[in-house]
Amino acid sequence: MQAAIIDAPGNIRVGSLPDPLPRPDELLIRVGACGICGTDLHLIDGDSPLARYPLVPGHEFAGEVVALGSNVAEQGGNGEARIVVGSRVAVEPNLYCGHCEGCRTGHENLCLNYTAVGVTTNGAIAEYVAVPAAKAYVLPDTISLREAALIEPVSCAVHGMHSLNPRSGDTFLIVGAGTMGLLLLQLALRGGASRIAVVDVNAQRLARAEQLGATRTYTDIRQALADEPRGFHCVIDATGVAAVIEQAFLAVKRGGKFMIFGVASYEASVSLSPFRIYNDEITIVGSMAVLSSFQAALDLIQGGVINTRAMLTTAYPLQDFAQAIGQVRRGEGIKTLILPNG
Ligand SMILES: [Zn+2]
Ligand SMILES: [Zn+2]
């Protein structure tokens, strides 16, 4: 098969690999669409402590089942959609060991032996990928494979909203209007936000934020704070940039919450006032990946809560992987998809 391959940090190509063979508990999937996200850029840049090279990236994907492992034949029952050859599925890429402290205390996303399709094992920017059958979700006919590639990022945003746990009527500041910022915007609106300000330096993304319901948009956090001098109940950083995080912290209202959602470099650090955290009773929340939120994300897309048309701006064939990466780095468009089988 053809696949995007990261041979080593900084070294990407499209090349041939043997077709993956499904192990007994796996499915072989012909990939319909796979999104590119910031995690893929971190993998390409060698900025991910979990990555093992050479690696096929791609963890936001959907496709058609073309083969079942020997133990998978009886999947389904109890009213669940049965997985058969020909099923259209989306796949939760995070793999948990099931026996560590995190897994046994309801924090599977913090698994001490965490692995993930497209991060530690070969992913879906390829014609085929093999995945554990238990991680596949059968898609309703109303969701296209391209739309289904958004389920994984939506499920991260859903976990973020579960972690943040805002109250109806809260004001929001979302910093960063990429895919994740715009998904969080849509969920916050449905969750009862009274006003949502969005900050980004990219005018196209701010226009998209306005289209999706942002109350006001800004190119600078200080401008947002000038309009809302006491700050916002909920401030979300969706950039992962240390200097931006320090500024965003200043926009949290007394008694408010600050969620670190963007993926910073694992070596980055920030300076925050502990006096303010104490004196203003600020809650700082982290949100990592997905936790029991994949089905909810599927349901949100099926229910039309997420404007998939506004999010899916760009699609490339597999051969143009390097070009697609260049476009993502330049911040053009919102979600870029690779369509490995055309
Ligand atoms: Zn991702
Ligand atoms: Zn575990």
Side-chain angles (χ1 to χ4, degrees):
M1 67 167 183
Q2 291 292 299
I5 302 165
I6 309 171
D7 285 307
N11 219 328
I12 60 172
R13 65 189 167 99
V14 174
S16 292
L17 287 177
D19 286 359
L21 284 173
R23 287 182 291 207
D25 293 315
E26 290 185 334
L27 307 170
L28 184 64
I29 293 172
R30 183 174 185 268
V31 181
C34 183
I36 296 175
C37 90
T39 298
D40 299 307
L41 302 183
H42 285 295
L43 292 170
I44 291 169
D45 294 340
D47 192 16
S48 170
L50 289 174
R52 288 173 218 144
Y53 304 97
L55 176 72
V56 175
H59 59 274
E60 304 178 353
F61 62 101
E64 190 183 318
V65 175
V66 291
L68 307 176
S70 54
N71 289 345
V72 183
E74 298 307 315
Q75 183 90 6
N78 297 323
E80 278 173 69
R82 195 181 162 87
I83 295 181
V84 295
V85 169
S87 292
R88 299 159 67 255
V89 296
V91 177
E92 210 244 272
N94 307 289
L95 308 177
Y96 314 125
C97 76
H99 54 73
C100 74
E101 185 185 355
C103 286
R104 291 193 166 174
T105 55
H107 301 280
E108 288 88 345
N109 60 330
L110 305 182
C111 174
L112 295 171
N113 306 300
Y114 175 87
T115 54
V117 177
V119 178
T120 59
T121 67
N122 280 349
I125 304 186
E127 290 177 288
Y128 297 95
V129 62
V131 302
K135 293 294 189 169
Y137 290 66
V138 176
L139 297 169
D141 295 337
T142 51
I143 300 182
S144 71
L145 294 180
R146 291 187 192 207
E147 290 176 303
L150 269 181
I151 295 173
E152 197 275 343
V154 172
S155 72
C156 294
V158 169
H159 174 49
M161 294 306 284
H162 288 168
S163 307
L164 184 63
N165 193 20
R167 293 159 59 113
S168 289
D170 277 359
T171 54
F172 276 70
L173 173 67
I174 297 175
V175 186
T179 300
M180 297 319 304
L182 294 176
L183 291 175
L184 288 161
L185 164 66
Q186 293 172 74
L187 294 182
L189 276 170
R190 280 286 185 132
S194 57
R195 293 192 295 285
I196 303 185
V198 176
V199 174
D200 201 294
V201 290
N202 180 323
Q204 281 181 346
R205 291 185 163 184
L206 291 183
R208 193 71 67 174
E210 277 167 24
Q211 180 202 342
L212 292 170
T215 315
R216 297 287 302 269
T217 60
Y218 304 90
T219 53
D220 190 316
I221 294 169
R222 283 166 296 197
Q223 296 162 354
L225 203 46
D227 281 353
E228 201 88 29
R230 290 198 193 136
F232 299 81
H233 294 102
C234 295
V235 175
I236 301 176
D237 176 71
T239 71
V241 177
V244 173
I245 290 168
E246 288 179 350
Q247 263 201 4
F249 174 72
L250 303 177
V252 184
K253 193 192 272 291
R254 297 194 78 189
K257 297 177 181 176
F258 185 33
M259 180 160 72
I260 304 287
F261 190 93
V263 181
S265 160
Y266 68 97
E267 291 166 322
S269 64
V270 293
S271 168
L272 305 179
S273 159
F275 179 79
R276 258 206 84 210
I277 296 170
Y278 145 77
N279 193 55
D280 292 356
E281 291 199 338
I282 290 170
T283 304
I284 299 181
V285 179
S287 182
M288 210 295 279
V290 170
L291 182 63
S292 305
S293 52
F294 206 85
Q295 182 65 48
L298 195 163
D299 293 342
L300 286 162
I301 288 178
Q302 188 179 11
V305 174
I306 301 298
N307 182 338
T308 54
R309 187 189 289 247
M311 302 299 296
L312 298 172
T313 51
T314 326
Y316 286 96
L318 180 59
Q319 291 74 7
D320 295 341
F321 175 63
Q323 211 179 314
I325 291 294
Q327 197 216 325
V328 172
R329 281 198 200 277
R330 291 192 298 276
E332 294 169 13
I334 305 299
K335 179 54 73 180
T336 296
L337 298 178
I338 300 287
L339 309 176
N341 284 288

